[in-house]
Amino acid sequence: MADSMHHRLTAGSPYPLGATSDGLGINFAVFSANATRLELCLFDERGRRELCRLALPECTDEIWHGYLPDAQPGLVYGYRAHGPYDPRNGHRFNPHKLLLDPYARRLTGAPRWSDALFGYRMQHTKADLSMDRRDSAIAMPKAVVVDDYFDWGRSAPPGTAWNDTVLYEVHLRGATMQREDLRTPLRGTAGALADPRFLDHLHRLGVTAVELMPVHAFLQDRFLIERGLRNYWGYSTLSFFAPEPSYVPQGGPNELKQAIRRLHAADIEVILDVVYNHTCEGSELGPTLSWRGLDNASYYRLVPGDERYYVNDTGCGNTLNISHPRVLQMVMDSLRYWACTYRVDGFRFDLGVTLGREGTGFDPGSGFFDAILQDPQLTRLKLISEPWDVGPDGYQLGQHPPGFAEWNDRFRDGTRRYWRGDDGMTGELAARLTGSRDLFDRRHRRPWASINYVASHDGFTLRDVTSYACSHNEANGEEGADGHGENFSANWGHEGPTDDDRILDLRSRVQHAMLATVLLADGTPMLLAGDEFGNSMGGNNNAYCQDTPVSWLDWQDLATDPGASLARYTARLIALRRAHASLRAARYGDAGYEIAPGIAALSWFTEHGQPMDPPAWEDAERRTLAMRRAAANDDHEANVTLLLLNAGDEPVNFQLPLPTLAWTIELDSAQPSRPTQPADDQAQEVAAHSVLVLSAQTPRGTP
């Protein structure tokens, strides 16, 4: 090891946390309340050889800090933390383990799995109570000091209103791995995501925002590597500030910024799926990579009275201690960093209930929510929560504070069950179509708070919902124990792919009807990437470990007649939603308020054109429903739409409700290419498993 006399640390500053260059040197600051000593370790530019170790000379308010004169961006470094190794009391300091800076903004190298990455002797009879003294540096990724400057030019965020938003959930790597029109090195990278042809596809669809699955640097878990699999989804965070290195192989962080700038120039917002509920270090038997070695007792929630073990409300082995002010600060600093330095437009919080937990359980007034909602920068962004975790009372759909939207799995399940033909689903579907006002119409929240979807990364694709009665996850090697047990899916007569035209037609109709339900309901619609052209994962409903064609979008489907037709139909639905204010209510309001004489803001009818009464709502075998909505176009005219839904096996003749209007048939999900045309009859036939959409304009005075 080189003589540390070649480098001298001065006191520096406790703020900001992380490694910060001022042009004349670099300031290092890292939090640890329980360490007795912290060492800065400097490496060669490839991160392979440790050059020296320098003790951080100052500790201010539990922030250890030092300043290295003449150092410049590009410096490679890590930390070693000294303190008690006392797992029973929550302390796991081990200076033999190189630790990643929690504020690292760029990484070099990837973890090379070996037992040396663990703070304890893995084969020891005392398990994690033992201590491993092997140096882990050679197996560890290192942090790289960065210069965050990037020229954004005149680009600006699109600023799309919530009420006009259509989300497109997509995996950055999987979106382009099978794009044969791209050079192989570019596939699966941030640069490929902003390829003009992909942007053109998004424009043709009419989506306004991409919701990217995790792009924070994440760990390839050892148990997956040993099974020949990989962590594909990325919900195993290794750094909250650095982009996943494999996504930015050419230009580092700037490569992702360039992609975001191009997406913004195309009026596409960028929302990041972020994981602040747990880290990749897992349970007490996991590796020591960063937070565990720096201050385990502060960074994690430990079992009171038995601090050897972790509270596991996430199901991933550990839970970040967001109640600790420094841990909350880390999360807030990370959010602001991505909002300012990368200019993202919002965040989707994985297991958002965990983030809102205080000592008494989930609290919509928790420190986490309060910190975000008072922040003048973050509160203006689109904020989306996954409203559940696996802890006590972990299902909190509709209970988040104003300012947050929530993934609505009841919309997903209700839509699937209604179109599958389950009994007693009419009332449930009606509630979901109206922006789930039974769940969200409180505290002045708006319909956009309900994120409506029928498929997401977590579960079947839309095509698979109509092709498989059960999951087929054999490739995961987990003997069928993984994934949802109840998918509310149906194969409509044959499990998996088939050449039977009758089954294929039926599946197509159900897919069309489900897409219409998502895109024409009040709330914020979300599409799973690939659903618009019939992408399949072969019945795998938990492809978290499938970094293979199983998960990657197969763009060849879009080149087929069925795929191209489905994409055109999806685009038509989105355009229809955009064209009619009554298909995207801005507020809940009074459903009975008359927008025009005899036409309430919201009305329900039977197929006979009569208002739905209690016996009709309670009819478990009912498969039909008519939904009429009205909204003011201006002071003189009202926009009225009528959805006629038939989930039965036979066509149904619907009598259009009074008053009589000059209706136009906008869309027939059973005949996607049917042109817009006047409805020349007050009775309309609706095919089995389909939706008919009509619209009318009427004066707000006498009709």
Side-chain angles (χ1 to χ4, degrees), residues 384-396:
I384 304 170
S385 179
E386 185 180 41
W388 52 77
D389 67 10
V390 301
D393 298 318
Y395 190 74
Q396 296 290 338

Side-chain angles (χ1 to χ4, degrees), residues 360-594:
T360 55
F362 176 78
D363 181 359
S366 71
F368 170 76
F369 292 128
D370 288 349
I372 288 181
L373 294 175
Q374 64 77 42
D375 188 285
Q377 200 163 45
L378 298 178
T379 194
R380 292 179 294 170
L381 303 181
K382 288 184 170 70
L383 306 171
I384 304 170
S385 179
E386 185 180 41
W388 52 77
D389 67 10
V390 301
D393 298 318
Y395 190 74
Q396 296 290 338
L397 178 64
Q399 301 304 309
H400 285 60
F404 277 77
E406 303 174 41
W407 270 29
N408 189 345
D409 65 325
R410 283 190 59 179
F411 186 101
R412 176 198 65 196
D413 295 347
T415 298
R416 291 183 180 187
R417 295 187 64 193
Y418 177 81
W419 290 110
R420 189 173 68 171
D422 288 13
D423 285 345
M425 293 305 299
T426 304
E428 175 67 13
L429 186 75
R432 302 310 135 230
L433 285 169
T434 57
S436 296
R437 63 170 60 210
D438 57 327
L439 301 171
F440 293 99
D441 188 9
R442 49 189 294 274
R443 299 186 66 187
H444 304 287
R445 298 182 79 180
R446 303 284 185 91
W448 58 255
S450 174
I451 304 296
N452 301 332
Y453 64 103
V454 73
S456 69
H457 73 273
D458 191 5
F460 278 150
T461 67
L462 174 65
R463 179 175 170 181
D464 289 354
V465 168
T466 62
S467 302
Y468 296 91
C470 58
S471 61
H472 296 267
N473 299 354
E474 294 80 8
N476 294 3
E478 297 179 9
E479 299 182 359
D482 61 324
H484 293 299
E486 181 52 84
N487 301 289
F488 303 116
S489 61
N491 62 29
W492 300 99
H494 180 86
E495 188 75 355
T498 180
D499 294 325
D500 188 316
D501 289 339
R502 183 190 64 82
I503 294 176
L504 291 174
D505 178 68
L506 188 52
R507 289 176 178 177
S508 177
R509 286 195 183 197
V510 175
Q511 289 174 40
H512 287 160
M514 287 182 175
L515 282 172
T517 306
V518 170
L519 289 164
L520 302 181
D522 292 335
T524 302
M526 183 181 78
L527 290 172
L528 172 64
D531 277 355
E532 74 274 17
F533 54 76
N535 190 65
S536 172
M537 294 197 298
N540 193 317
N541 75 341
N542 190 31
Y544 77 100
C545 56
Q546 295 297 323
D547 191 2
T548 68
V550 169
S551 293
W552 303 338
L553 296 187
D554 186 354
W555 291 96
Q556 292 301 315
D557 286 334
L558 183 59
T560 66
D561 288 341
S565 174
L566 186 58
R568 288 193 298 269
Y569 170 76
T570 305
R572 189 175 175 187
L573 282 170
I574 295 174
L576 186 61
R577 176 186 180 86
R578 184 183 302 113
H580 294 278
S582 57
L583 292 176
R584 45 186 171 84
R587 299 175 182 271
Y588 287 110
D590 179 4
Y593 175 75
E594 287 198 353

